[in-house]
Amino acid sequence: MNIHEYQAKELLREYGVRVPPGRVAHTVDNAATAAEELGGERWVVKAQIHAGGRGKGGGIRVAGSIDEVRHCADQLIGRHLVTPQTGAAGRLVQRVLVERACRIHKEFYLGLVIDRGTQRITVIASEAGGMDIEEVAARHPGRIVREAVDPAVGLMDFQCRKIAAKIGLTGRQIPEATKLMQALYRCFRDNDALLAEINPLAVVDEGQLMALDAKMSFDGNALYRREQITAMRDFDEEDPKEVEATGHGLNYIALDGDVGCIVNGAGLAMATMDAISFHGGKPANFLDVGGGASPEKVENAFRIVLQDPSVRIILVNIFAGINRCDWIAEGLVQAMRDLKIGVPIVVRLAGTNVDAGRAILAASAFPFIMADNLDDAATRVMATLRAAPA
Amino acid sequence: MSVFVHRDTRVILQGFTGQHATFHAQESMQNGTNVVGGVTPGKGGMTHLGRPVFDTVDQAVQETGAEVSGIFVPAPFAADAIMEALEAGIRVIVVIADGVPVQDMVRVKRYAADKHAVIIGPNTPGIITPGACKVGIMPSHIYRAGRIGVVSRSGTLNYETVQQMTELGLGQSTCVGIGGDPVNGADFVTVLRAFEEDPDTDAVVMIGEIGGPQEVDAARWARENMHKPLVGFVAGVSAPPGRRMGHAGAIIAGQSDTADAKMDLMEELGVHVVRNPALIGATAHRVFS
């Protein structure tokens, strides 16, 4: 689960990370008031959307007067911001963060991740701040410092000093960086974060270290014990179909093809998409109905897949382990009856209670196209699409 | 022999009296698994499915000599249950729970560091040596005893692979699901090493997916250390970057992380790579015969 920059900064401030003085504004008037109250001569007005690359999309603007703050806010609030990560449609900006600008002397990168290589929380730092860290890692791996944290003792001060020295901090900046890294680590650990990124971390004004941008992402599986984080969820930033799917216990991700997919298990769902692609088709979505799928859940899966107008055919691929093919089949029949589905349905069933499942489909009056295995299913999808008028 | 679980292996289940544990314990007992008891705190002293129930894993191990535990407790309690099993001296711990917080697993792995146990999962369908022992939730009837090892991250894709193999007459020595989470117990290398050392396994099929360096690391290890043929597939060629494909670990993080990039590297390292998931069984058949 992702949160906005302003939320990440509020959270980090609670833990003792220094961030610029700032206010959130939902209107142009609010933005101007915020700037007045913050004081100073220059302000930064930052669009609050979850997608990255805001700078490149014009979502971060510097204003030298209150009038300019108004102008910047007006250019952002209520408009769609297009960044390299939003797609062509962009993302609606509902609020901006107004911050007092500071003089930047040098920029660094500081991040915490759960590294799959070490299987531990790992600090990543670089003296190449403000840049895309993946690009730095690919081009100049020597400019990246990594330090894995032993969970038995937590992040140690000596590790922080080592990192600070390696990225070129000196003098009193080293103990200051140590304090900041410890605060960031505590925030990460105590809130079940998966990612915390300060980019840039900057040396500003009189030499203090400050988090000029902050990005955090949290473990959805741990939200049950993180009330404060759960309250920060912004559903407007998520695809409504994906939110609806989650509510039904389904895992749905919209893609841009025309073959709707309803599958159980993430791995098989990906492999089903791959099989379709291998045969020259394009999947319209990823959808995992999960384990223990009831007929109602299956019907809801159809409802969500069919909301996408580009879907021309649906492939149902179920390999039941903990699931039951007869329940899936009942859900299919129920969906056909209730939803008046106009597109062809190819069905492949295997595993637990497969014969009962096939019998239910055969006994129904609906024209399911039955497939024997994955290859047969993908082949039938493509043959049916080719035979149908576009 | 087979790997990790065998005909005589003494198995307990944690969360024994729950609905899923009950169903799968029954199914696996009918298929030859030696379930010797189970643990449900507060229900110690009862009998369930004709087997004793204990309050703690420690008691269960003392009384039954259990070596393997299947963990069926809900995800929020999984870390505690795994550590309890580790502390009690369980040798193989199979974690079925889906949705275990990642940082819980980071702590579990640290706790396990000096315990000499194998953790399978979390978010795994389990492990099965067909006809001898099953600790998990997979449908037993699709498996056939044989001489090919199967290891996968995904559960249902494990079933898919096995069915393709069984239909072509290729039986399995042991099938292991290592789970789809970013921080998990046994990795591909651990399982490949066990298969390499197992005299009853002739060849191995490895099924990976997008996200993380595991598959390529395993292929690199296999080139140096493995003499048995290895067939590999990586799911997610059609997955877009930056989107989490269901599994907590299935996300393309960088350019070298895509399914195609991984399969290219695996091929260079000598793995027999399958590009079409519908032909995993057929490829294994061609390579192994």
Side-chain angles (χ1 to χ4, degrees):
Chain A
M1 191 203 100
N2 298 320
I3 60 175
H4 288 291
E5 175 196 4
Y6 78 93
Q7 295 169 318
K9 282 179 167 168
E10 275 167 20
L11 191 63
L12 288 171
R13 189 187 284 128
E14 280 176 33
Y15 280 82
V17 175
R18 189 181 289 127
V19 298
R23 302 272 165 83
V24 182
H26 293 76
T27 64
V28 173
D29 285 344
N30 279 346
T33 314
E36 272 165 14
E37 284 174 9
L38 289 166
E41 288 159 3
R42 282 168 67 244
W43 299 269
V44 186
V45 182
K46 308 177 85 176
Q48 297 296 292
I49 57 170
H50 283 182
R54 289 173 303 166
K56 286 177 190 152
I60 297 174
R61 294 161 186 244
V62 180
S65 67
I66 301 294
D67 273 350
E68 275 183 41
V69 169
R70 278 184 175 280
H71 180 71
C72 294
D74 191 44
Q75 294 292 302
L76 295 171
I77 296 172
R79 300 186 190 228
H80 283 81
L81 180 66
V82 179
T83 84
Q85 290 182 24
T86 57
R91 201 70 74 74
L92 177 67
V93 179
Q94 307 207 31
R95 49 182 93 72
V96 294
L97 174 62
V98 182
E99 288 183 337
R100 199 160 67 209
C102 37
R103 267 183 303 131
I104 302 170
H105 301 300
K106 182 150 176 44
E107 297 187 334
F108 302 90
Y109 173 94
L110 179 65
L112 279 182
V113 294
I114 294 182
D115 178 58
R116 281 190 275 202
T118 58
Q119 303 263 291
R120 288 181 172 185
I121 297 174
T122 299
V123 184
I124 299 176
S126 174
E127 32 91 32
M131 292 166 63
D132 178 11
I133 196 68
E134 277 209 15
E135 219 174 292
V136 178
R139 289 196 193 168
H140 315 282
R143 295 173 74 184
I144 300 233
V145 179
R146 288 167 198 272
E147 195 70 25
V149 180
D150 183 335
V153 293
L155 180 66
M156 298 304 294
D157 282 355
F158 81 84
Q159 294 183 291
C160 303
R161 294 195 296 270
K162 197 166 133 194
I163 296 162
K166 277 191 181 168
I167 61 173
L169 291 169
T170 53
R172 68 183 172 87
Q173 286 168 346
I174 291 186
E176 202 188 328
T178 300
K179 222 177 116 204
L180 187 145
M181 283 183 226
Q182 289 288 9
L184 183 63
Y185 173 74
R186 278 196 305 278
C187 180
F188 188 96
R189 182 198 59 196
D190 293 354
N191 293 293
D192 277 297
L194 296 178
L195 170 85
E197 220 176 32
I198 299 180
N199 190 23
L201 170 71
V203 177
V204 299
D205 300 334
E206 315 306 322
Q208 312 94 311
L209 279 173
M210 196 177 267
L212 294 191
D213 195 5
K215 182 177 170 186
M216 289 192 80
S217 152
F218 299 89
D219 187 348
N221 290 330
L223 290 180
Y224 73 89
R225 61 189 182 197
R226 301 290 169 232
E227 245 174 74
Q228 188 190 2
I229 303 301
T230 309
M232 293 183 187
R233 185 161 177 186
D234 181 357
F235 287 99
D236 290 341
E237 289 287 329
E238 299 172 35
D239 181 324
K241 290 201 293 283
E242 292 173 17
V243 173
E244 188 191 344
T246 310
H248 294 303
L250 304 163
N251 205 320
Y252 172 90
I253 291 165
L255 302 168
D256 52 10
D258 53 9
V259 182
C261 300
I262 296 177
V263 189
N264 70 317
L268 188 60
M270 275 189 276
T272 304
M273 289 157 47
D274 294 348
I276 291 164
S277 304
F278 198 84
H279 283 261
K282 286 190 84 180
N285 65 277
F286 167 97
L287 191 150
D288 173 11
V289 297
S294 62
E296 289 68 31
K297 208 167 163 185
V298 174
E299 185 174 344
N300 283 324
F302 271 95
R303 192 170 283 129
I304 287 160
V305 169
L306 285 165
Q307 280 174 19
D308 178 352
S310 42
V311 167
R312 292 173 59 212
I313 188 166
I314 293 176
L315 170 56
V316 180
N317 184 19
I318 300 293
F319 208 126
I322 207 160
N323 276 301
R324 291 169 45 174
C325 286
D326 50 335
W327 281 23
I328 302 282
E330 276 175 32
L332 282 169
V333 173
Q334 210 168 295
M336 292 299 276
R337 207 172 41 221
D338 299 349
L339 302 178
K340 303 188 174 56
I341 296 171
V343 299
I345 314 277
V346 177
V347 184
R348 183 278 182 117
L349 295 178
T352 308
N353 295 359
V354 58
D355 294 333
R358 287 197 184 130
I360 290 168
L361 296 186
S364 80
F366 300 110
F368 295 109
I369 303 167
M370 298 303 293
D372 292 333
N373 55 49
L374 181 55
D375 199 44
D376 189 32
T379 308
R380 282 176 195 272
V381 164
M382 296 317 292
T384 310
L385 270 184
R386 269 184 225 110
Chain B
M1 272 299 278
S2 58
V3 306
F4 303 132
V5 296
H6 320 286
R7 181 167 305 283
D8 303 322
T9 301
R10 286 180 295 273
V11 178
I12 55 164
L13 301 187
Q14 289 171 252
F16 187 34
T17 54
Q19 189 194 352
H20 285 309
T22 302
F23 178 84
H24 290 284
Q26 253 169 337
E27 203 248 24
S28 61
M29 283 156 78
Q30 281 158 13
N31 287 286
T33 305
N34 184 22
V35 176
V36 294
V39 176
T40 299
K43 294 195 176 171
M46 280 176 51
T47 299
H48 184 62
L49 307 177
R51 301 290 188 277
V53 182
F54 301 94
D55 284 316
T56 68
V57 179
D58 184 52
Q59 288 168 340
V61 170
Q62 297 297 325
E63 297 292 323
T64 67
E67 316 140 81
V68 172
S69 178
I71 297 192
F72 280 80
V73 304
F77 311 108
D80 185 59
I82 300 167
M83 292 194 216
E84 184 183 4
L86 284 166
E87 198 266 344
I90 293 285
R91 179 174 64 77
V92 177
I93 300 165
V94 184
V95 192
I96 306 302
D98 174 9
V100 179
V102 179
Q103 292 200 25
D104 283 7
M105 281 310 297
V106 171
R107 286 184 278 269
V108 164
K109 288 206 79 169
R110 177 64 176 82
Y111 189 78
D114 59 353
K115 300 287 192 299
H116 307 292
V118 176
I119 299 171
I120 311 274
N123 190 11
T124 169
I127 175 167
I128 181 169
T129 294
C133 184
K134 171 185 119 164
V135 186
I137 57 172
M138 54 278 266
S140 299
H141 72 272
I142 61 169
Y143 295 82
R144 291 285 173 282
R147 302 188 56 85
I148 298 172
V150 178
V151 56
S152 71
R153 270 161 77 172
S154 153
T156 45
L157 199 45
N158 192 306
Y159 311 160
E160 174 68 43
T161 302
V162 164
Q163 185 169 63
Q164 288 181 24
M165 290 170 62
T166 298
E167 275 173 2
L168 293 167
L170 294 174
Q172 305 91 39
S173 56
T174 300
C175 300
V176 185
I178 60 171
D181 285 2
V183 176
N184 62 352
D187 57 8
F188 280 126
V189 171
T190 308
V191 181
L192 289 185
R193 185 183 291 120
F195 280 134
E196 174 69 10
E197 288 167 2
D198 174 31
D200 291 332
T201 297
D202 293 338
V204 180
V205 178
M206 175 172 79
I207 307 295
E209 56 193 40
I210 51 165
Q214 279 209 38
E215 291 80 4
V216 175
D217 288 350
R220 199 165 284 131
W221 180 87
R223 188 180 57 176
E224 302 296 324
N225 302 286
M226 204 165 157
H227 300 92
K228 299 175 181 178
L230 179 61
V231 165
F233 169 74
V234 176
V237 168
S238 47
R243 304 305 310 273
R244 202 171 289 283
M245 290 286 135
H247 284 162
I251 181 167
I252 297 174
Q255 282 165 0
S256 64
D257 213 27
T258 65
D260 273 326
K262 283 204 219 186
M263 284 197 276
D264 290 347
L265 280 168
M266 286 160 65
E267 206 150 49
E268 279 172 32
L269 290 163
V271 178
H272 301 276
V273 168
V274 196
R275 302 277 172 165
N276 179 353
L279 299 181
I280 300 170
T283 306
H285 192 260
R286 182 170 50 75
V287 171
F288 300 156
S289 39

